[in-house]
Amino acid sequence: MANESNGPVEDGDQTLKAPASEGDGPSVAGDGSHLTAALIARKLRDSGIDCEIVHPVPIDASVVRRDRVVIVLAVALLTALAWGYLLRLSADMNMGCMDMTGLRMIPSGMGLMMPAEMPWRAMEFALVFVMWTVMMVGMMTPSAAPMFLMYARVGRQTGAQSKSLSATVWFAAGYFLVWVAFALFATLVQWALERTALLDFTMASTDNVLGGFVFIAAGLYQWSRLNDLCMAQCQKPFEFVMRHGGYRREAPGCVMLGLRHGAYCVGCCWALMALLLVGGVMNVLWIVLLALLAFLERVTSMGRLIARLAGIVLVAGGAWLFSMGMS
């Protein structure tokens, strides 16, 4: 529901922003705002929703700055670790001029190889899954930073002073859990493509027809209504929190809200992530370009325009690949 001032009405599942006074003073405006909030709360209770009126609390600017520094440093460290691991894997996959005919690389950072015709073993599946998980964390963490910062700030303003950062950690855990699930799905897709010899030892597509189809599908999805709906949830962190139940203090509620936000972000970016299987899962330049595109779409005010322009480029590139494959 729309936010008209700074006093939320909240329960375990829903939070409504309603006008509220800053205190219990005798001012007419304050009394009117308080009565409006009370009326909204009563209507919610009559509908079977247990709720309470919560007044925002003043927060020290130094506390906000400290939270911001902590979250930015954590995001930067997590991103750096993820990209460091990916660079190590990429260097391991590039074995110079070594003849890789009949072999496939295992993304372990230890130069492990197996005959291409051999089925995957459990260890290889686990290593590929770890690769995809770390890749998703490295690519999506920067664009999730505004959401994490907003969640911590809302926590401070609703009086959860001692739980603001811990609640943000639980929210982030729910967010990344969705991407871990996506990484598992991507691992299964990669396994299926390798079984049908549609990926080479660099984990890039060997079929231009398939590659063209994926490019065109991703480009069309950039113009889809579903992508617009998901992107709208990701571009405005405060509206997302208010629209989906408001700030949660306890770990289960934070995780569930993080799961929901992560699901919308997967809805925005899954088609872009599928392009990794065309350009090469360990092609660092390709990973950087897709991560930058996802960041610009979700964080900048021109995100939808960027998505549509990217869609045109992807469809054109897909048509070219398709024609190359058919010739």
Side-chain angles (χ1 to χ4, degrees):
M1 188 171 290
N3 173 19
E4 295 184 0
S5 100
N6 57 359
V9 180
E10 76 176 49
D11 66 354
D13 294 327
Q14 296 196 28
T15 297
L16 297 177
K17 300 290 285 183
S21 63
E22 296 181 356
D24 294 322
S27 67
V28 174
D31 288 345
S33 298
H34 184 78
L35 288 174
T36 301
L39 178 61
I40 294 174
R42 189 183 69 181
K43 288 182 177 296
L44 289 173
R45 293 190 187 101
D46 291 342
S47 301
I49 301 174
D50 187 20
C51 62
E52 60 177 326
I53 301 174
V54 179
H55 295 273
V57 298
I59 52 177
D60 191 342
S62 63
V63 174
V64 176
R65 285 195 298 269
R66 186 198 66 187
D67 287 352
R68 185 179 297 116
V69 169
V70 170
I71 292 173
V72 169
L73 287 178
V75 166
L77 178 61
L78 186 60
T79 304
L81 290 174
W83 279 98
Y85 182 78
L86 293 177
L87 289 173
R88 179 184 175 184
L89 293 185
S90 178
D92 186 50
M93 299 290 288
N94 297 323
M95 301 295 289
C97 298
M98 180 177 178
D99 184 10
M100 296 293 295
T101 304
L103 298 172
R104 69 169 181 267
M105 292 291 300
I106 300 177
S108 63
M110 298 179 288
L112 299 181
M113 294 176 285
M114 288 188 65
E117 70 276 3
M118 286 188 62
W120 282 20
R121 297 179 179 177
M123 182 185 72
E124 182 175 3
F125 188 93
L127 289 171
V128 173
F129 171 60
V130 169
M131 175 198 69
W132 274 100
T133 299
V134 174
M135 190 186 308
M136 295 302 98
V137 171
M139 295 177 71
M140 303 313 299
T141 298
S143 57
M147 183 72 245
F148 301 155
L149 290 167
M150 176 56 67
Y151 199 72
R153 184 179 180 88
V154 171
R156 292 290 182 187
Q157 290 179 324
T158 54
Q161 299 284 349
S162 62
K163 295 184 177 182
S164 176
L165 286 179
S166 62
T168 305
V169 171
W170 283 114
F171 178 90
Y175 173 82
F176 287 122
L177 187 59
V178 178
W179 283 107
V180 170
F182 179 84
L184 178 59
F185 176 76
T187 302
L188 293 170
V189 172
Q190 182 176 330
W191 169 80
L193 292 175
E194 283 200 359
R195 288 298 85 207
T196 53
L198 290 174
L199 294 181
D200 60 19
F201 71 93
T202 65
M203 293 179 280
S205 175
T206 60
D207 188 342
N208 285 334
V209 173
L210 174 63
F213 174 78
V214 174
F215 261 72
I216 292 173
L220 293 176
Y221 185 75
Q222 293 291 90
W223 283 79
S224 70
R225 177 62 177 164
L226 178 58
N227 186 48
D228 287 345
L229 291 174
C230 292
M231 194 179 300
Q233 300 290 332
C234 296
Q235 288 177 328
K236 299 176 180 179
F238 182 76
E239 289 187 14
F240 170 82
V241 173
M242 292 299 103
R243 187 177 296 148
H244 296 284
Y247 179 81
R248 315 293 175 86
R249 291 178 173 83
E250 304 304 325
C254 294
V255 171
M256 290 303 298
L257 193 59
L259 287 170
R260 181 173 291 182
H261 184 64
Y264 281 118
C265 292
V266 170
C268 290
C269 303
W270 70 268
L272 297 180
M273 300 302 108
L275 296 175
L276 290 167
L277 294 168
V278 180
V281 178
M282 279 288 97
N283 184 330
V284 174
L285 179 59
W286 191 231
I287 298 172
V288 170
L289 289 175
L290 291 176
L292 180 60
L293 178 57
F295 179 84
L296 292 175
E297 286 183 2
R298 292 177 55 197
V299 174
T300 67
S301 59
M302 299 177 62
R304 290 190 178 182
L305 176 61
I306 292 172
R308 282 164 169 71
L309 292 176
I312 295 173
V313 174
L314 291 174
V315 169
W320 177 76
L321 281 174
F322 197 84
S323 66
M324 292 288 291
M326 295 299 292
S327 62

